[in-house]
Amino acid sequence: MIVYLNGDYLPLEEARVSVLDRGFIFGDGVYEVIPAYNGHLFRQEAHLQRLENSLKNIKLENPLSREQWIEALESVVAHNNGGDQSIYLQVTRGSAKRNHNFPEQVVPTVFIMSDPIEQQPPSSGVKAITCADTRWQRCDIKSIALLANILLRRQAVEVGAAETILIRDGYVMEGAASNVFVVVDGVAITPPKSQFILSGITRDLILEAMRTAQLSCREANIPEAQLRAADEIWVTSSTREILPVITLDDKPVGLEEPGAVWAKVWQIYQDYKQKLRV
Ligand code: PDD
């Protein structure tokens, strides 16, 4: 695997970062995960805009221009034989003597790597659990400090579930690493954007595609009771696309099989990817 580190392209084994890097010491950095289909970046403008927002929110100047980002991302994909890949990029506040205050005149660390994506058959449905959202109040920042998300996901894995759906003050927020949709009376509903959820690129694409296809959808707060009574539940992300949840806390969701609305939206999503490939 060839990775990008601070302007160089090199084998993964040769990529080295200082132990004083603030990403390592403090989790002081932000990231993005961007799919590429047949070498073409998926929704690159939206991902790079979200990166810009994350950087602004942590008061770190974007070290690369839009053009430089696209060149570096496309080069990593090309160096790794193109095709379908999941690109990970991370920017940290660089390496400096440990101090909670921002270091002066430090150069941010920029790292990009990429993994092949295997074509997935349509999911037959996954289990999910619910947990209280124990994260901080700036979940709109795509921070590399993910300990709470990791512990919350682990709770799901320990009971054979694929995702943990997070509840804050009686309302659904999102998954440990995904956004959440419910379907109620044929209408797909996802929580509105706020500082408590990540503004998912997959989420936005689903809303846009559903509106274009004249399928009912809206952004609205989802009380916990509505989640538990939903006909369908989906979790969405760049890596998992749109996964139908068929049991929640060991209770069936709808007919305990992927729902009819999910099937339509899943197909629209596959068609969108396919168009990008050619
Ligand atoms: N995470 N919410 C959280 C907390 C996430 O971590 C993610 C994705 C999403 C979905 O965002 P998008 O549709 O833009 O991928 C929502 C990535 C995939 C990760 O951490 O690996």
Side-chain angles (χ1 to χ4, degrees):
M1 190 206 287
I2 300 294
V3 302
Y4 170 102
L5 183 61
N6 300 328
D8 296 326
Y9 296 91
L10 67 176
L12 175 66
E13 309 73 53
E14 289 173 24
R16 292 279 177 278
V17 180
S18 163
V19 290
L20 287 182
D21 193 278
R22 289 175 65 97
F24 183 59
I25 295 287
F26 288 119
D28 184 359
V30 296
Y31 77 106
E32 277 295 319
V33 176
I34 312 176
Y37 296 106
N38 193 22
H40 304 292
L41 303 179
F42 185 82
R43 301 235 134 182
Q44 67 182 35
E45 282 305 313
H47 279 283
L48 291 175
Q49 186 56 51
R50 187 172 65 185
L51 173 66
E52 187 75 48
N53 297 346
S54 292
L55 287 166
K56 205 163 149 227
N57 278 314
I58 71 161
K59 302 185 172 146
L60 184 55
E61 204 178 311
N62 196 335
L64 301 184
S65 67
R66 230 8 106 91
E67 295 69 34
Q68 287 172 321
W69 273 116
I70 291 170
E71 200 205 319
L73 294 164
E74 287 181 342
S75 300
V76 169
V77 172
H79 276 300
N80 292 291
N81 304 323
D84 292 358
Q85 294 184 27
S86 178
I87 309 164
Y88 175 88
L89 73 86
Q90 160 168 327
V91 183
T92 75
R93 209 180 305 274
S95 172
K97 190 171 183 309
R98 184 179 182 278
N99 186 321
H100 282 68
N101 191 17
F102 295 173
E104 272 174 39
Q105 286 168 353
V106 76
V107 182
T109 303
V110 180
F111 175 60
I112 308 173
M113 64 179 169
S114 183
D115 279 310
I117 311 179
E118 302 301 330
Q119 181 71 13
Q120 301 285 338
S123 171
S124 52
V126 298
K127 290 169 70 163
I129 61 166
T130 55
C131 274
D133 194 345
T134 50
R135 301 173 303 161
W136 67 334
Q137 311 216 344
R138 290 308 309 270
C139 302
D140 53 323
I141 301 173
K142 205 159 169 58
S143 162
I144 60 168
L146 287 174
L147 189 53
N149 304 62
I150 286 167
L151 293 175
L152 288 161
R153 168 64 68 80
R154 183 66 196 168
Q155 296 211 36
V157 173
E158 282 174 359
V159 295
E163 185 57 305
T164 306
I165 295 178
L166 307 174
I167 313 285
R168 197 189 283 259
D169 298 331
Y171 288 91
V172 176
M173 296 294 126
E174 59 178 342
S178 58
N179 291 110
V180 173
F181 284 74
V182 297
V183 177
V184 177
D185 296 331
V187 182
I189 310 170
T190 194
K193 290 182 183 178
S194 73
Q195 71 192 60
F196 298 110
I197 71 167
L198 185 75
S199 171
I201 308 300
T202 319
R203 167 199 183 278
D204 287 354
L205 174 59
I206 291 169
L207 289 173
E208 187 185 301
M210 287 188 80
R211 284 173 188 142
T212 307
Q214 298 193 323
L215 297 169
S216 298
C217 62
R218 63 193 168 91
E219 296 171 80
N221 290 319
I222 302 173
E224 185 176 347
Q226 190 176 45
L227 172 75
R228 299 200 183 279
D231 302 319
E232 299 184 24
I233 300 174
W234 319 329
V235 291
T236 71
S237 78
S238 298
T239 43
R240 293 178 140 185
E241 302 185 349
I242 315 170
L243 264 189
V245 173
I246 58 168
T247 71
L248 183 70
D249 293 331
D250 278 330
K251 299 206 175 62
V253 176
L255 302 172
E256 209 174 345
E257 58 187 35
V261 184
W262 172 81
K264 282 188 200 154
V265 176
W266 183 85
Q267 191 55 56
I268 293 172
Y269 194 84
Q270 299 310 312
D271 294 346
Y272 184 93
K273 272 166 47 186
Q274 195 49 36
K275 279 203 205 103
L276 205 64
R277 283 200 182 93
V278 290

